[in-house]
Amino acid sequence: MKARLKISDDMDDAIASLNRLGSSAGKAQAQAVNEVVKQAEQQLRTEVGSVFDRPTPFTLNAFRIQYAKPSQPEAAIWVKDEKAGASKGLAPEDWFKPQVYGGERALKASERMLRAKGILPPGMYAVPGKGARLDAYGNMSRGHITQLLSGLKAFDRAGSDHNATDSKRSVRKGHAAAFFVLRRGAKPLGIAERRGKTVQVVLVFTREPSYAPRFDFHGVVRKVSENDALIEAAVDKAVADLLGVSG
């Protein structure tokens, strides 16, 4: 998802101020547009904090800007579409799409591994159970997920194999003996962890969650791009900077 920003031709006063600069108009226009797109990014981050509970840095920093240039005085802002280590195997865009447009969320990397192993049934997702160790953002901690995948021998990532083995070191960790699939008859219900005499449910299998749109990415950017007072102030500052006039 991407939104573009530029100074509209119907901004008469702003366009007139820029035109008076002659050949330098493009430079001032690009500076003004870049100020506006930075405001759009800030508003998107504010909206993230308002809509989502305890958003992670991954979510707050999901936006990327293509800045305007004198030769092309139009900027763009979008949700990053490349994967990162902190994204649980998902690009930010994959995570944001159902929040913006509604629908089913993408599978997390751990869910894809459990499904590939035949543990997580088709059409089901995994959510933390009462025994899951959570991080500061309410998600199952990466360390706990790694232990679980290792114990179930479901860890599958290129160049890395954390699966439990019969080695003494692996047996001492106890992950293979600790984690098991909870079933009702033949139906898998989730994953439990047994440590000593304590048994806790750490993952629960649930139907595909379907989201209603709740993050108005395009609406937030449009509101900024249609704020005439903001744009005129940005143009005035850009013109003053170019002419060396202090405010």
Side-chain angles (χ1 to χ4, degrees):
M1 66 199 70
K2 178 182 284 190
R4 298 186 181 278
L5 297 93
K6 63 179 183 178
I7 297 176
S8 174
D9 292 338
D10 60 10
M11 295 284 297
D12 297 337
D13 291 343
I15 295 296
S17 295
L18 291 168
N19 287 340
R20 284 195 288 270
L21 296 174
S23 61
S24 298
K27 182 177 181 180
Q29 187 171 352
Q31 178 181 326
V33 171
N34 289 336
E35 179 60 32
V36 174
V37 78
K38 285 188 284 188
Q39 288 293 324
E41 181 189 32
Q42 184 57 50
Q43 288 303 311
L44 286 169
R45 289 169 61 91
T46 298
E47 185 75 0
V48 165
S50 174
V51 170
F52 303 116
D53 178 36
R54 290 176 290 172
T56 66
F58 164 75
T59 304
L60 287 167
N61 297 318
F63 309 107
R64 174 156 291 168
I65 291 175
Q66 177 182 312
Y67 288 104
K69 299 179 291 186
S71 60
Q72 187 178 356
E74 179 181 273
I77 186 167
W78 66 92
V79 178
K80 298 174 185 176
D81 55 7
E82 67 272 15
K83 297 180 180 180
S87 64
K88 300 182 180 179
L90 297 176
E93 185 179 51
D94 296 331
W95 188 89
F96 266 94
K97 273 183 178 178
Q99 314 297 329
V100 174
Y101 303 112
E104 299 166 357
R105 72 162 170 82
L107 285 172
K108 299 176 182 177
S110 57
E111 291 170 324
R112 292 198 299 271
M113 293 179 195
L114 290 171
R115 186 166 292 181
K117 188 69 174 177
I119 295 171
L120 180 66
M124 301 293 281
Y125 286 68
V127 299
K130 290 184 178 180
R133 295 199 299 272
L134 305 180
D135 60 22
Y137 308 103
N139 303 311
M140 191 169 179
S141 73
R142 186 177 299 183
H144 205 185
I145 291 173
T146 299
Q147 290 177 3
L148 180 152
L149 294 171
S150 171
L152 296 173
K153 298 184 179 180
F155 204 101
D156 181 17
R157 182 165 289 169
S160 177
D161 185 1
H162 293 284
N163 287 329
T165 66
D166 294 331
S167 71
K168 291 182 179 179
R169 182 171 179 270
S170 183
V171 171
R172 279 198 303 271
K173 291 181 179 179
H175 302 327
F179 294 97
F180 61 96
V181 180
L182 282 173
R183 301 180 185 275
R184 181 182 293 131
K187 180 181 179 181
L189 302 177
I191 296 171
E193 180 180 11
R194 181 189 292 111
R195 300 287 181 178
K197 296 182 180 180
T198 302
V199 177
Q200 294 182 306
V201 177
V202 294
L203 279 183
V204 176
F205 297 161
T206 185
R207 293 289 179 188
E208 291 179 324
S210 184
Y211 295 92
R214 59 173 178 158
F215 184 75
D216 192 4
F217 172 84
H218 296 287
V220 170
V221 177
R222 184 167 55 250
K223 186 175 181 180
V224 172
S225 68
E226 294 177 353
N227 186 332
D228 291 354
L230 174 65
I231 294 171
E232 288 173 0
V235 169
D236 288 345
K237 182 178 186 305
V239 170
D241 288 348
L242 193 65
L243 296 175
V245 179
S246 61

